[in-house]
Each structure stands twice: as C-alpha cells, then as structure tokens.
Amino acid sequence: MTQTAAQRFLQDAAVKSADLVHREIIRRGMDSYDAAHLKGRARIKDWEAAREKCQEIKRDAINHLDRFLLQFEEKVVARGGHVYWAANAEEACAYVKNLAIRLGVRTVVKSKSMVTEEIHLSPALEREGIKVWETDLGEFIVQLRNEAPYHIVTPAMHLNRGQIATLFREKLDPGISSDDPADLMAVARRKLREAFFTAEMGISGANFLVADAGVVAISTNEGNGRLCTSIPPIHVVVTGIEKVIPRLEDLAVLWPVLATSGTGQGITTYSTMIAGPRQSGEVDGAGEFHVVLVDNGRSQLLADAEQREVLHCIRCGACLNICPVFRHVGGHTYGTTYPGPIGSVLTPHLNGIGEFKHLSYASSLCGACSSVCPVKIDLHHHLLQNRRNATESRVTKSSERVIFRMWRAVMSSPSMYALGGWTMRKALRTLYALGLAGTILDPMRVWNRYRAPVPLPSESFRARWRKDRAAS
Amino acid sequence: MPQAKEAQTENSSRDQILGRIRAALRIVVSEPAVAAGDSKRVIFQTIDDPLQRFEQECAANLMECALTADGEASAQHLAKVLQSLPEGEAFVQEDPTLRRLVQLAAPARAIRWSTEGAPGEASQVTVTLAEALIAQTGSILVSAGCGGRGASVIAPCHIVYARAAQLVPDLATALGCISQQRTFDRNSFACVISGSSRTADIEKILVQGAHGPRRLVVILQSGT
Ligand code: SF4
C-alpha cells in the first residue's frame, strides 16, 4: 500500500522528533541563528518600520504585477536578453533543456535557487546527459547525498561536520582526514572550481527582479553565485513571477532586511545586480542571457482574496527557524520543496489542498512565524484558513467529520463533558497504574510514547472551581 | 532552429499568464492600509561620520581598510599587500591611475590588464577601482566597468583603490546614484560587496574564503 503524504509526515515526524542527534544539531544551529538574528535586528533602528516598508514595497509590486513584469521584460530585452514566461514546471524545464541542447551545453553550474528545486530542473537536465553541479556548499552537500535541501537558506543544516567529512571521503576523496569546516570548504572549492571554468551554462535564481532598472538581484555569501554568472558563456535565471519589485532604491531596505532575517548579517556579502548579457566593450560575462519567469500556481494564489500576500515572501527562512514544529520534526519531514510555516501555507496552493492539507495542522498556531516575518505575512491565520478550506471543500475523511461532530456535541453539553472527563481520568489512571502508558491501549499514546505521562488531576476543574469559590 | 519559430515558442504562455494576472488583480483584496505619516519613520540609524562608520563596518565584515594620505602612500601599501601574496599573475583594471600605482608598487610582477581579457583561473590577485564606497554596510560598489565581473571574485585576493570622495553614507544614496547616472545603460553588471567570500553552511561556523576572495583590501586615499 502506498503511503499518503499525510501518513508519511506523521511517521517521519515521530522518528525525527525522537532522534536525539538530529535534535542536537538543529538546536545548536538554531541557537547560533537566534543570537545572530537578534544582534542583527538590534542594528536596525526601527525594525517594525523596516518590516512595514518591505510589506509596502511587496504589496505595491504584487498589486501591479503585470505592469512591473512587463517593465522588467522590456528593459532586459532592450539589452539583448531573453525573457521566457513559463506557465508551469514542465514548460520551464523544457525551455532550459532545449536551450542547453541547442547551444551544446554539457556541464551546468548552479547557484542556489528554490524555484529550480520546485520545478525539478536538475533531474530534467540530467536525463539529457547534462552534468549539473550545485555550487552553494550546502546544496553541494545535499546533492552528493541525493537529498532535497533541508532548509531554504541553509540546505545542509541537518548534518554535522563528521557526517559531511564521511560523505566527502566516500564521494570525493578517500584521503580527506580533517573534519574542520574550513578544510571541508576547501575540498568543495577545489572540486567546484574545475566545474566553474568548464561549464558552458550557469543557472541562478533571483532574490529580486527590479522593474525600473531591468535588473536581476542575487544575494550570495560564498561568491558561487558570482562565478556562475561571470564565467560561463550562458546565464539562465529561473525565478518566480512574484519576485519583481518596483524600484532599484527599494533594495536599500530589502537587502538589509533579507540578510538580517536570513542570517543576521547587515547585508549579504555579494549583493549582485545583473542587467543583461555582456555588452560590447565589457571584459567578461555571459553573452547569452535568459530569464525564465515561472508561474506554476502563483497567478492562482494572486486570485485568492485572503492569501494574496503569501506572494510577498522573500524566502528568508526566518519563519522556519522560529517554528517550534520545524525545530522538532526538521525540514525533510515536510516532504515539500518549501518546508516550515511558509511551506505549509504555500504547498497546498502549488500542489493541491487534497494531498497537503495535513500541513495546515503542522502548527500550534502560536504565531511565532507571523511575528518574525519581515514582510509581515499573517502566516498562522493562513494556516487556519487552509484548514477551513480543506473542511469546506470536503477533502476531509468522513470518519474525521463524524468524530468532530461528536466532539462538538460533547463540548456543547456540560453534563456530557463532565462525564467524558470523569471516564478519561478513571480509565487513564487504571491504565497508567498497570504500566500501559504509551502502549497501543493508551489513548494518549501519541504523547506518551516518547514522554512521561502528564500527572492526572484527582478531581475535575469544575469541582475545584466550586470548592475554591465556596472557600473564599 | 529557425529564428521566427523560436520567438514564438518564447512567448507561448506569456499572454495566458498576463491574462491570469490581470483577472486576479481585478479581485478586490481588503488590506489594512499603511498608516499615513509612517513613511517618515527613520528605519536606519543616521550616519554622522561616514568614514568612521565605514572603517567600523569594514572590520566587522572582515575586510582590510587602509587610509592613505597620497598616491605615494597608496603605492607603498599596495606594494606591501602584493609582497605578502604568492608569486603569480596579477590582474589589473586598465586605468591610468592604476597603471602608475602598480608600476610603482610592483614593477617586477607579471600583470594581465583588463583589456587583455578576464582574469584567469590561476590569478593570485586582482586590483580594481570601485564606483563608490558605502559607509552604512562597509561595502564597495563595483560595476562591469571596474575590470569586469570576474575581477572582484576569481582571485583569492581583491584589492580596491578608492578615493575618500567616493564614500557615500548609505545604500539608498548609492542606489540613487546608480539610477541617476544610468549606470546600467553602460554596464550589464554591478555588485555591492561587503567583505570577503564566506560560508556558514557547516554547523553555522563561519569560514572565510569560500568560492571568492579570502582577502578584500580597500586602499582609501584621502582627497578627491
Ligand atoms: S514567509 Fe516571511 S519569514 Fe517566512 S520565509 Fe517568507 S519572508 Fe521569510
């Protein structure tokens, strides 16, 4: 029997949250992120004003999406670049694939791009016999492991140095003895440098598409994005239509806010702006420049009156980092391109509410995600709306509907509620006394399997309430 | 593949996507308005002393900044940095000032001028000018005109020679200049560089020198 995405999520979540090595790696990673993020935010004088400004910029962009995309396209085409509009993943992959075949490309260097993950571009190219190198260190590591990125900003944060050293020994060079991060970086650098200088095509994503200047803005720290867009003779940008922003000056706020939310930096080391192919008289740069604008469900999200603002997302990863669910179940458990709160909101729109409605419940609705989001997306309310939409569109199971109907009946009748509480207290006390906590007989098994049972109260809340009132 | 056919395939979904966007935008969305007067709120600390701020941010970004009084001092500092590097070709942006400076600083070193093509894989160091320096973030702004795209990223060391008058207080000013001077009419590339190349992809531990330069040196000469 094939598992549904929801069943797999529950199973993986249970395994991952009990995996102490994984938890320790994530805890350490998130601790250092938290410290850097707080320090970074303190450097900005009015963080709330910065968030409001970013929200305003993105709202302006999204509410005039057609106009700004056309403005961007016009500028790029005027400088000799190509702009391709892809309705879905297949169209986008086919375009890049055909371009690569037509121009005789054998090797591609890629800098990090979540949209290429979303459309599964690398497998599409590799099926044609084209070698694809991920060049961001984290992406390179997960590529060697045949894994999807664990996190949208730090793709390999689920691994420690020992695991990465072992991987490099297996896949790259059995002679690697050190597991020092600097030495491991040096190994990757040597390997990838060959690729940079032999590849015929560089593929990058975009953090922003600047409409008034016709510029693609790409932020990277390692410089791999720079090399991908400087050395190979062909440069292809693959990005979503929602990445457009109105003005070049908007970057003065967006860059610092993205860096602060992403890593705690004041600004990403290389904030690159590419305005088209190499112009006459220039020393280097790709002679062929293509921008692939991917829709793939985004225009449908634009038509959602409640959730349009989800398109504001700048993919900073802050909502993943703060999410208590992400911190326990980890990125891979979601089984989606975009994990964490933004992924749980977005995936049902991109891949269907039927299969992915369970992600709306992968949240305690604590609202931490909404409180950190630098473009002020009301993430947890959107999760709530997705729950409602799933219920209304009847993609829920009938057994689920029956259970909730019973639940409603019990909750709205004080006597039934009291009876239920009494029964549960008695039953659980007996069960625990028999040492059956956490077994299949235990209705609280989900909790008690990995934890000590919560002590049971001797009397109901209502009984205590009555007693305390009488005493005072 | 014939040209006409290609142009067609390039835009097969274009009108359809634009149509969907326009239809979606006709749906009215109630969004809380941004309160009036909010635009006056100051987001970033104002910068009183740009030079001091620049030096401070450079240090935080792990880049080296040397203040020099005149051309001679700049040449001396350049010589010192070049001496500390391994033998091998230096790539230098073709520019009369840089020619003078490099001839004074390292008459013996093999030089590849930007007019001879992009820096090679084995370049040890690149020397270029910048379009501007940005105090707020401790950054240099380079364009394709500063020796090309690879000039600031291929070699393990990048040296930038700049004048104090090129220092602007913040990103907004720098980006405003790019718009005003229509930099992208003449350049297909520009980049705000804030420090040496780095990664923290392994256990969030900072490693300096990833794919780009391990060292970024700014020689900042006073005067105009
Ligand atoms: S939803 Fe907000 S916090 Fe989450 S990745 Fe997007 S911009 Fe960042």
Side-chain angles (χ1 to χ4, degrees):
Chain A
M1 197 186 85
T2 51
Q3 261 184 327
T4 64
Q7 286 165 338
R8 211 190 45 78
F9 178 88
L10 284 178
Q11 198 177 53
D12 291 358
V15 173
K16 274 293 162 198
S17 41
D19 177 344
L20 296 182
V21 178
H22 173 261
R23 284 180 65 154
E24 178 60 15
I25 296 172
I26 299 311
R27 192 189 56 76
R28 277 210 227 154
M30 292 306 186
D31 278 356
S32 63
Y33 167 82
D34 285 345
H37 179 219
L38 282 177
K39 234 171 90 185
R41 254 161 66 164
R43 275 201 302 264
I44 293 178
K45 186 164 181 234
D46 189 339
W47 175 248
E48 282 311 309
R51 289 175 78 204
E52 268 159 37
K53 180 73 192 168
C54 292
Q55 181 189 32
E56 199 187 310
I57 292 167
K58 287 298 293 192
R59 187 185 284 171
D60 183 20
I62 296 298
N63 284 340
H64 304 95
L65 194 56
D66 54 336
R67 199 176 81 208
F68 289 129
L69 283 171
L70 289 174
Q71 199 184 356
F72 170 80
E73 178 188 49
E74 193 192 313
K75 288 269 177 185
V76 171
V77 170
R79 290 197 198 98
H82 303 262
V83 176
Y84 177 75
W85 303 61
N88 50 41
E90 295 81 67
E91 279 188 21
C93 288
Y95 180 79
V96 181
K97 190 185 79 187
N98 292 336
L99 184 71
I101 292 171
R102 180 160 63 84
L103 299 175
V105 172
R106 308 188 55 92
T107 308
V108 167
V109 279
K110 256 186 89 237
S111 79
K112 218 170 94 51
S113 148
M114 289 311 296
V115 178
T116 59
E117 296 286 340
E118 174 189 326
I119 64 171
H120 303 293
L121 180 59
S122 298
L125 293 173
E126 276 167 350
R127 275 197 295 275
E128 300 299 321
I130 297 165
K131 174 79 192 145
V132 180
W133 291 94
E134 290 290 349
T135 62
D136 171 84
L137 178 60
E139 288 279 346
F140 179 64
I141 292 167
V142 294
Q143 189 190 31
L144 287 179
R145 285 171 60 96
N146 277 320
E147 264 177 357
Y150 179 92
H151 184 287
I152 61 175
V153 176
T154 41
M157 76 172 295
H158 58 306
L159 301 171
N160 61 29
R161 60 178 85 187
Q163 292 164 325
I164 295 165
T166 310
L167 174 74
F168 279 13
R169 263 194 295 277
E170 265 168 37
K171 302 271 171 151
L172 299 176
D173 174 6
I176 296 166
S177 56
S178 157
D179 65 358
D180 185 77
D183 296 332
L184 294 172
M185 177 67 230
V187 172
R189 175 187 162 111
R190 270 199 303 279
K191 191 77 206 162
L192 290 170
R193 241 172 129 80
E194 273 169 49
F196 283 125
F197 283 89
T198 50
E200 298 90 0
M201 179 185 273
I203 298 179
S204 75
N207 293 92
F208 305 103
L209 304 171
V210 187
D212 72 346
V215 156
V216 178
I218 307 167
S219 300
T220 65
N221 278 316
E222 296 178 6
N224 61 314
R226 295 285 319 282
L227 292 170
C228 284
T229 60
S230 296
I231 306 173
I234 310 159
H235 175 200
V236 181
V237 180
V238 181
T239 192
I241 51 171
E242 83 284 14
K243 294 284 167 67
V244 77
I245 56 166
R247 293 156 299 266
L248 193 68
E249 279 86 339
D250 295 332
L251 294 171
V253 189
L254 288 168
W255 272 341
V257 166
L258 172 63
T260 302
S261 297
T263 59
Q265 287 170 286
I267 187 168
T268 310
T269 307
Y270 297 104
S271 302
T272 310
M273 295 168 273
I274 309 263
R278 173 184 186 174
Q279 303 293 300
S280 71
E282 286 184 352
V283 176
D284 54 7
E288 282 272 344
F289 179 71
H290 297 252
V291 181
V292 181
L293 298 173
V294 180
D295 180 341
N296 207 28
R298 289 163 172 81
S299 55
Q300 217 174 312
L301 188 51
L302 188 70
D304 188 317
E306 276 176 341
Q307 302 199 12
R308 176 181 291 176
E309 65 160 6
V310 173
L311 293 170
H312 293 183
C313 173
I314 56 173
R315 306 279 189 261
C316 70
C319 59
L320 281 61
N321 298 340
I322 201 151
C323 178
V325 175
F326 184 96
R327 285 179 178 222
H328 285 82
V329 306
H332 285 146
T333 298
Y334 291 84
T336 54
T337 304
Y338 305 98
I342 181 62
S344 298
V345 172
L346 196 59
T347 311
H349 288 280
L350 301 183
N351 302 2
I353 185 93
E355 198 183 343
F356 291 99
K357 68 178 166 58
H358 63 284
L359 294 178
S360 318
Y361 298 88
S363 166
S364 65
L365 299 180
C366 68
C369 47
S370 310
S371 77
V372 289
C373 177
V375 286
K376 300 186 70 154
I377 301 174
D378 199 357
L379 289 156
H380 67 295
H381 280 106
H382 295 317
L383 287 173
L384 209 51
Q385 289 156 0
N386 282 353
R387 292 185 189 184
R388 182 205 56 205
N389 295 346
T391 310
E392 281 178 356
S393 63
R394 297 244 154 190
V395 290
T396 49
K397 281 198 289 250
S398 51
S399 59
E400 200 177 313
R401 287 199 296 277
V402 171
I403 290 172
F404 271 101
R405 224 168 287 142
M406 281 164 58
W407 172 253
R408 186 172 62 190
V410 172
M411 289 301 281
S412 46
S413 152
S415 55
M416 294 241 291
Y417 182 82
L419 179 68
W422 180 84
T423 318
M424 278 297 265
R425 278 197 306 281
K426 289 281 177 256
L428 287 178
R429 187 158 304 124
T430 319
L431 212 74
Y432 292 175
L434 291 172
L436 292 174
T439 62
I440 331 195
L441 297 175
D442 182 359
M444 306 300 282
R445 173 173 153 83
V446 178
W447 175 271
N448 287 344
R449 215 160 20 142
Y450 298 113
R451 305 168 185 85
V454 176
L456 294 165
S458 56
E459 55 191 354
S460 73
F461 174 78
R462 293 203 303 176
R464 276 187 62 185
W465 178 262
R466 263 195 309 269
K467 238 188 347 209
D468 287 0
R469 291 276 294 224
S472 64
Chain B
M1 201 183 278
Q3 205 59 39
K5 197 172 161 205
E6 187 194 311
Q8 218 178 23
T9 50
E10 279 213 356
N11 291 295
S12 59
S13 291
R14 182 175 180 272
D15 293 341
Q16 194 196 337
I17 295 172
L18 278 168
R20 277 208 298 261
I21 292 174
R22 288 183 180 132
L25 289 178
R26 279 193 288 274
I27 296 167
V28 183
V29 172
S30 65
E31 288 170 325
V34 179
D38 267 359
S39 57
K40 289 194 193 66
R41 278 161 74 180
V42 182
I43 296 175
F44 301 107
Q45 200 84 48
T46 40
I47 293 161
D48 303 319
D49 185 343
L51 185 60
Q52 190 203 357
R53 173 69 179 259
F54 182 73
E55 286 193 273
Q56 185 188 322
E57 295 295 329
C58 280
N61 287 342
L62 307 174
M63 50 202 263
E64 301 162 39
C65 175
L67 299 182
T68 56
D70 51 30
E72 201 179 318
S74 299
Q76 264 167 24
H77 192 81
L78 180 61
K80 210 171 81 189
V81 178
L82 289 174
Q83 268 155 30
S84 70
L85 298 171
E87 292 290 307
E89 190 176 85
F91 170 93
V92 187
Q93 177 189 344
E94 176 61 72
D95 170 85
T97 321
L98 286 182
R99 254 187 196 273
R100 266 198 309 280
L101 219 56
V102 169
Q103 264 147 23
L104 273 174
R109 200 176 263 265
I111 305 285
R112 180 186 179 91
W113 296 96
S114 60
T115 40
E116 300 165 47
E121 198 182 335
S123 287
Q124 282 303 327
V125 55
T126 55
V127 186
T128 73
L129 301 174
E131 295 277 349
L133 304 179
I134 304 162
Q136 178 192 3
T137 46
S139 315
I140 59 163
L141 170 67
V142 293
S143 69
C146 305
R149 300 186 189 186
S152 50
V153 75
I154 285 177
C157 177
H158 178 205
I159 306 172
V160 176
Y161 171 70
R163 312 299 295 257
Q166 289 183 283
L167 184 63
V168 299
D170 53 21
L171 281 169
T173 315
L175 291 165
C177 289
I178 293 180
S179 288
Q180 241 165 41
Q181 298 168 3
R182 311 181 73 87
T183 304
F184 288 115
D185 285 357
R186 284 165 280 113
N187 295 278
S188 68
F189 155 87
C191 188
V192 175
I193 301 176
S194 315
S196 53
S197 136
R198 65 200 54 203
T199 184
D201 272 354
I202 300 179
E203 294 185 8
K204 293 253 173 198
I205 291 164
L206 183 73
V207 175
Q208 224 188 325
H211 294 291
R214 197 160 306 140
R215 268 179 92 184
L216 175 56
V217 183
V218 180
I219 301 175
L220 181 50
Q221 189 178 312
S222 51
T224 48

